[in-house]
Amino acid sequence: MSAVPFLSQSGEPGEPGAPSEPRDPPGCAVLAMPVEIDFCNAAGLLPLITAVVEQRGDTLRLLVLDLSTTRFMDSQGVRLLTAVRHVLPGAARLRVVAVPRGLPSRVLELSGLRRDVPVHDDLAEALGAVSGTAGSGAAA
């Protein structure tokens, strides 16, 4: 399992409130995103996500961005997810985990991004979608 710390709200890796390191099943990269995604940090997150994608290369089948602890996300978060979709290798897919009634989930719905990126209620569901064992609660 690789350790790729993401920026905390203050911009320093490893501080309280920073996204956790990825928990990676084979062929997958799972990245927990920060508590807030906005104009202050979205541009800095893209190179970090891109580095993980490039590190995995052709073995990456699925990238899961876990927004379950993200409490605020504005249009910059939508732009970030759109940019991530474009840096993924051809065979890799993007899935998002978001709390169903949370602000990020609502932003994804209002922006229309939910039509293009499957959004799941929890990590197990997002990972199960790859193996075909996801429950019916997927909001894809």
Side-chain angles (χ1 to χ4, degrees), residues 6 33-34 36-38 41-50 63 65 67 73-87 94 108 113:
F6 274 65
M33 302 305 290
E36 295 183 6
I37 303 174
D38 57 20
N41 67 352
L45 290 170
L46 183 58
L48 297 172
I49 295 168
T50 301
L63 174 64
L65 299 181
L67 302 174
M73 184 174 90
D74 63 13
S75 62
Q76 293 303 307
V78 173
R79 289 176 59 118
L80 172 66
L81 295 177
T82 300
V84 168
R85 288 179 58 218
H86 289 95
V87 301
L94 175 64
L108 293 171
L113 193 62

Tab-separated table of all heavy atoms in Angstrom, residues 6 33-34 36-38 41-50 63 65 67 73-87 94 108 113:
chain	number	residue	atom	x	y	z
A	6	PHE	N	-2.192	13.887	1.172
A	6	PHE	CA	-2.736	15.031	0.455
A	6	PHE	C	-2.626	16.272	1.320
A	6	PHE	O	-2.373	16.205	2.509
A	6	PHE	CB	-4.203	14.774	0.085
A	6	PHE	CG	-4.313	14.027	-1.203
A	6	PHE	CD1	-3.832	12.737	-1.306
A	6	PHE	CD2	-4.851	14.610	-2.314
A	6	PHE	CE1	-3.909	12.046	-2.485
A	6	PHE	CE2	-4.928	13.926	-3.508
A	6	PHE	CZ	-4.462	12.648	-3.592
A	33	MET	N	-10.410	12.651	0.228
A	33	MET	CA	-10.252	14.068	-0.091
A	33	MET	C	-10.398	14.925	1.168
A	33	MET	O	-10.914	14.473	2.186
A	33	MET	CB	-11.282	14.460	-1.151
A	33	MET	CG	-11.158	13.632	-2.438
A	33	MET	SD	-9.513	13.662	-3.179
A	33	MET	CE	-9.461	15.324	-3.764
A	34	PRO	N	-9.946	16.193	1.095
A	34	PRO	CA	-9.969	17.056	2.277
A	34	PRO	C	-11.382	17.481	2.687
A	34	PRO	O	-12.344	17.289	1.941
A	34	PRO	CB	-9.139	18.274	1.852
A	34	PRO	CG	-9.158	18.266	0.377
A	34	PRO	CD	-9.338	16.843	-0.059
A	36	GLU	N	-12.565	20.420	2.885
A	36	GLU	CA	-13.060	21.452	1.970
A	36	GLU	C	-12.335	21.339	0.644
A	36	GLU	O	-11.123	21.112	0.611
A	36	GLU	CB	-12.821	22.847	2.542
A	36	GLU	CG	-13.597	23.131	3.797
A	36	GLU	CD	-13.394	24.554	4.311
A	36	GLU	OE1	-12.729	25.357	3.620
A	36	GLU	OE2	-13.899	24.856	5.390
A	37	ILE	N	-13.087	21.508	-0.432
A	37	ILE	CA	-12.500	21.602	-1.764
A	37	ILE	C	-13.059	22.871	-2.385
A	37	ILE	O	-14.262	22.965	-2.661
A	37	ILE	CB	-12.838	20.382	-2.646
A	37	ILE	CG1	-12.375	19.094	-1.977
A	37	ILE	CG2	-12.209	20.541	-4.029
A	37	ILE	CD1	-12.804	17.835	-2.705
A	38	ASP	N	-12.178	23.857	-2.551
A	38	ASP	CA	-12.608	25.137	-3.095
A	38	ASP	C	-11.453	25.784	-3.845
A	38	ASP	O	-10.442	25.136	-4.121
A	38	ASP	CB	-13.147	26.041	-1.989
A	38	ASP	CG	-12.151	26.294	-0.871
A	38	ASP	OD1	-10.930	26.103	-1.076
A	38	ASP	OD2	-12.586	26.677	0.225
A	41	ASN	N	-7.705	25.282	-2.605
A	41	ASN	CA	-6.911	24.049	-2.650
A	41	ASN	C	-7.145	23.162	-3.870
A	41	ASN	O	-6.376	22.236	-4.093
A	41	ASN	CB	-7.122	23.228	-1.383
A	41	ASN	CG	-8.516	22.674	-1.250
A	41	ASN	OD1	-9.411	22.986	-2.015
A	41	ASN	ND2	-8.710	21.841	-0.246
A	42	ALA	N	-8.172	23.412	-4.660
A	42	ALA	CA	-8.500	22.504	-5.773
A	42	ALA	C	-7.355	22.399	-6.782
A	42	ALA	O	-7.015	21.301	-7.229
A	42	ALA	CB	-9.785	22.946	-6.466
A	43	ALA	N	-6.754	23.503	-7.124
A	43	ALA	CA	-5.664	23.477	-8.106
A	43	ALA	C	-4.463	22.688	-7.584
A	43	ALA	O	-3.763	22.028	-8.352
A	43	ALA	CB	-5.251	24.902	-8.476
A	44	GLY	N	-4.229	22.713	-6.291
A	44	GLY	CA	-3.127	21.963	-5.701
A	44	GLY	C	-3.405	20.481	-5.573
A	44	GLY	O	-2.471	19.670	-5.500
A	45	LEU	N	-4.667	20.097	-5.561
A	45	LEU	CA	-5.017	18.684	-5.455
A	45	LEU	C	-4.811	17.938	-6.768
A	45	LEU	O	-4.438	16.761	-6.769
A	45	LEU	CB	-6.474	18.525	-4.998
A	45	LEU	CG	-6.762	18.923	-3.561
A	45	LEU	CD1	-8.266	18.946	-3.315
A	45	LEU	CD2	-6.070	17.995	-2.584
A	46	LEU	N	-5.031	18.617	-7.889
A	46	LEU	CA	-4.915	17.940	-9.179
A	46	LEU	C	-3.526	17.336	-9.403
A	46	LEU	O	-3.441	16.159	-9.790
A	46	LEU	CB	-5.299	18.861	-10.331
A	46	LEU	CG	-5.262	18.209	-11.719
A	46	LEU	CD1	-6.183	16.993	-11.780
A	46	LEU	CD2	-5.627	19.221	-12.787
A	47	PRO	N	-2.428	18.048	-9.150
A	47	PRO	CA	-1.116	17.413	-9.352
A	47	PRO	C	-0.880	16.215	-8.426
A	47	PRO	O	-0.209	15.256	-8.813
A	47	PRO	CB	-0.112	18.523	-9.052
A	47	PRO	CG	-0.868	19.791	-9.106
A	47	PRO	CD	-2.298	19.460	-8.835
A	48	LEU	N	-1.436	16.251	-7.247
A	48	LEU	CA	-1.281	15.130	-6.319
A	48	LEU	C	-2.046	13.901	-6.813
A	48	LEU	O	-1.538	12.775	-6.761
A	48	LEU	CB	-1.754	15.529	-4.928
A	48	LEU	CG	-0.958	16.662	-4.266
A	48	LEU	CD1	-1.637	17.094	-2.974
A	48	LEU	CD2	0.466	16.227	-4.008
A	49	ILE	N	-3.242	14.117	-7.291
A	49	ILE	CA	-4.039	13.015	-7.828
A	49	ILE	C	-3.377	12.479	-9.098
A	49	ILE	O	-3.262	11.264	-9.292
A	49	ILE	CB	-5.488	13.472	-8.102
A	49	ILE	CG1	-6.177	13.845	-6.784
A	49	ILE	CG2	-6.266	12.383	-8.850
A	49	ILE	CD1	-7.495	14.562	-6.959
A	50	THR	N	-2.921	13.384	-9.947
A	50	THR	CA	-2.251	12.991	-11.184
A	50	THR	C	-1.010	12.146	-10.895
A	50	THR	O	-0.741	11.163	-11.597
A	50	THR	CB	-1.878	14.236	-12.008
A	50	THR	OG1	-3.076	14.963	-12.295
A	50	THR	CG2	-1.206	13.862	-13.317
A	63	LEU	N	-10.083	4.583	-10.007
A	63	LEU	CA	-9.697	5.622	-9.066
A	63	LEU	C	-10.959	6.035	-8.323
A	63	LEU	O	-11.955	6.423	-8.940
A	63	LEU	CB	-9.098	6.828	-9.790
A	63	LEU	CG	-8.782	8.038	-8.926
A	63	LEU	CD1	-7.700	7.711	-7.890
A	63	LEU	CD2	-8.345	9.219	-9.777
A	65	LEU	N	-12.363	8.619	-5.538
A	65	LEU	CA	-12.155	9.818	-4.730
A	65	LEU	C	-13.219	9.813	-3.642
A	65	LEU	O	-14.414	9.885	-3.928
A	65	LEU	CB	-12.235	11.076	-5.585
A	65	LEU	CG	-11.196	11.172	-6.709
A	65	LEU	CD1	-11.352	12.474	-7.473
A	65	LEU	CD2	-9.790	11.029	-6.166
A	67	LEU	N	-15.146	11.435	-0.917
A	67	LEU	CA	-15.585	12.734	-0.405
A	67	LEU	C	-16.441	12.588	0.849
A	67	LEU	O	-17.128	13.524	1.239
A	67	LEU	CB	-16.403	13.477	-1.476
A	67	LEU	CG	-15.733	13.752	-2.816
A	67	LEU	CD1	-16.728	14.357	-3.787
A	67	LEU	CD2	-14.545	14.662	-2.637
A	73	MET	N	-17.778	21.900	-0.789
A	73	MET	CA	-17.213	21.821	-2.124
A	73	MET	C	-17.955	22.806	-3.005
A	73	MET	O	-19.184	22.825	-3.015
A	73	MET	CB	-17.354	20.403	-2.686
A	73	MET	CG	-16.700	20.236	-4.035
A	73	MET	SD	-16.711	18.520	-4.599
A	73	MET	CE	-18.248	18.488	-5.487
A	74	ASP	N	-17.192	23.636	-3.720
A	74	ASP	CA	-17.826	24.570	-4.633
A	74	ASP	C	-17.548	24.141	-6.072
A	74	ASP	O	-17.144	23.011	-6.317
A	74	ASP	CB	-17.389	26.015	-4.357
A	74	ASP	CG	-15.896	26.243	-4.562
A	74	ASP	OD1	-15.205	25.382	-5.152
A	74	ASP	OD2	-15.416	27.312	-4.129
A	75	SER	N	-17.750	25.043	-7.019
A	75	SER	CA	-17.573	24.697	-8.432
A	75	SER	C	-16.143	24.272	-8.752
A	75	SER	O	-15.914	23.543	-9.726
A	75	SER	CB	-17.984	25.865	-9.315
A	75	SER	OG	-17.160	26.995	-9.054
A	76	GLN	N	-15.178	24.671	-7.937
A	76	GLN	CA	-13.799	24.245	-8.172
A	76	GLN	C	-13.641	22.745	-7.943
A	76	GLN	O	-12.814	22.092	-8.575
A	76	GLN	CB	-12.835	25.033	-7.293
A	76	GLN	CG	-12.757	26.506	-7.653
A	76	GLN	CD	-12.370	26.708	-9.107
A	76	GLN	OE1	-11.375	26.169	-9.570
A	76	GLN	NE2	-13.172	27.475	-9.827
A	77	GLY	N	-14.432	22.188	-7.059
A	77	GLY	CA	-14.424	20.749	-6.856
A	77	GLY	C	-14.958	20.023	-8.082
A	77	GLY	O	-14.438	18.966	-8.468
A	78	VAL	N	-15.976	20.582	-8.714
A	78	VAL	CA	-16.521	20.008	-9.939
A	78	VAL	C	-15.465	20.075	-11.040
A	78	VAL	O	-15.242	19.105	-11.773
A	78	VAL	CB	-17.808	20.749	-10.370
A	78	VAL	CG1	-18.290	20.272	-11.727
A	78	VAL	CG2	-18.892	20.580	-9.314
A	79	ARG	N	-14.791	21.216	-11.137
A	79	ARG	CA	-13.717	21.356	-12.136
A	79	ARG	C	-12.598	20.351	-11.878
A	79	ARG	O	-12.030	19.795	-12.810
A	79	ARG	CB	-13.167	22.780	-12.117
A	79	ARG	CG	-14.133	23.797	-12.672
A	79	ARG	CD	-13.579	25.195	-12.533
A	79	ARG	NE	-12.320	25.311	-13.241
A	79	ARG	CZ	-12.108	26.123	-14.264
A	79	ARG	NH1	-13.085	26.892	-14.691
A	79	ARG	NH2	-10.933	26.178	-14.849
A	80	LEU	N	-12.272	20.142	-10.612
A	80	LEU	CA	-11.237	19.179	-10.249
A	80	LEU	C	-11.614	17.783	-10.722
A	80	LEU	O	-10.814	17.083	-11.354
A	80	LEU	CB	-11.010	19.180	-8.734
A	80	LEU	CG	-10.091	18.084	-8.183
A	80	LEU	CD1	-8.664	18.280	-8.687
A	80	LEU	CD2	-10.140	18.073	-6.665
A	81	LEU	N	-12.831	17.352	-10.434
A	81	LEU	CA	-13.272	16.012	-10.840
A	81	LEU	C	-13.287	15.873	-12.361
A	81	LEU	O	-12.929	14.823	-12.902
A	81	LEU	CB	-14.637	15.698	-10.250
A	81	LEU	CG	-14.687	15.591	-8.726
A	81	LEU	CD1	-16.108	15.344	-8.262
A	81	LEU	CD2	-13.769	14.516	-8.217
A	82	THR	N	-13.682	16.914	-13.048
A	82	THR	CA	-13.674	16.900	-14.511
A	82	THR	C	-12.246	16.756	-15.032
A	82	THR	O	-11.979	15.963	-15.945
A	82	THR	CB	-14.328	18.168	-15.068
A	82	THR	OG1	-15.686	18.221	-14.603
A	82	THR	CG2	-14.316	18.192	-16.579
A	83	ALA	N	-11.320	17.488	-14.441
A	83	ALA	CA	-9.911	17.409	-14.848
A	83	ALA	C	-9.341	16.016	-14.562
A	83	ALA	O	-8.587	15.470	-15.380
A	83	ALA	CB	-9.093	18.478	-14.137
A	84	VAL	N	-9.712	15.439	-13.430
A	84	VAL	CA	-9.236	14.100	-13.083
A	84	VAL	C	-9.705	13.098	-14.129
A	84	VAL	O	-8.937	12.221	-14.551
A	84	VAL	CB	-9.704	13.694	-11.668
A	84	VAL	CG1	-9.479	12.205	-11.419
A	84	VAL	CG2	-8.988	14.527	-10.616
A	85	ARG	N	-10.934	13.205	-14.570
A	85	ARG	CA	-11.448	12.293	-15.596
A	85	ARG	C	-10.588	12.325	-16.847
A	85	ARG	O	-10.387	11.308	-17.500
A	85	ARG	CB	-12.882	12.666	-15.982
A	85	ARG	CG	-13.896	12.340	-14.909
A	85	ARG	CD	-15.300	12.739	-15.302
A	85	ARG	NE	-15.695	12.077	-16.535
A	85	ARG	CZ	-16.421	12.661	-17.477
A	85	ARG	NH1	-16.832	13.899	-17.338
A	85	ARG	NH2	-16.761	12.008	-18.557
A	86	HIS	N	-10.048	13.502	-17.175
A	86	HIS	CA	-9.264	13.646	-18.396
A	86	HIS	C	-7.830	13.145	-18.256
A	86	HIS	O	-7.172	12.897	-19.263
A	86	HIS	CB	-9.292	15.100	-18.857
A	86	HIS	CG	-10.628	15.499	-19.385
A	86	HIS	ND1	-11.580	16.117	-18.620
A	86	HIS	CD2	-11.180	15.316	-20.611
A	86	HIS	CE1	-12.662	16.320	-19.343
A	86	HIS	NE2	-12.453	15.843	-20.547
A	87	VAL	N	-7.317	12.993	-17.037
A	87	VAL	CA	-5.945	12.498	-16.870
A	87	VAL	C	-5.898	10.984	-16.677
A	87	VAL	O	-4.819	10.406	-16.693
A	87	VAL	CB	-5.188	13.189	-15.706
A	87	VAL	CG1	-5.124	14.692	-15.925
A	87	VAL	CG2	-5.784	12.848	-14.363
A	94	LEU	N	-13.335	6.425	-13.031
A	94	LEU	CA	-13.426	7.253	-11.835
A	94	LEU	C	-14.749	6.984	-11.153
A	94	LEU	O	-15.796	6.923	-11.805
A	94	LEU	CB	-13.328	8.740	-12.202
A	94	LEU	CG	-13.522	9.742	-11.063
A	94	LEU	CD1	-12.419	9.599	-10.012
A	94	LEU	CD2	-13.556	11.165	-11.608
A	108	LEU	N	-22.586	17.930	-6.906
A	108	LEU	CA	-22.404	17.019	-8.035
A	108	LEU	C	-23.705	16.848	-8.820
A	108	LEU	O	-23.689	16.757	-10.046
A	108	LEU	CB	-21.893	15.665	-7.549
A	108	LEU	CG	-20.484	15.668	-6.973
A	108	LEU	CD1	-20.171	14.324	-6.327
A	108	LEU	CD2	-19.459	16.021	-8.023
A	113	LEU	N	-22.611	16.556	-13.028
A	113	LEU	CA	-21.480	15.631	-13.078
A	113	LEU	C	-21.881	14.211	-12.683
A	113	LEU	O	-21.269	13.250	-13.140
A	113	LEU	CB	-20.339	16.141	-12.195
A	113	LEU	CG	-18.994	15.446	-12.381
A	113	LEU	CD1	-18.488	15.642	-13.806
A	113	LEU	CD2	-17.979	15.969	-11.401
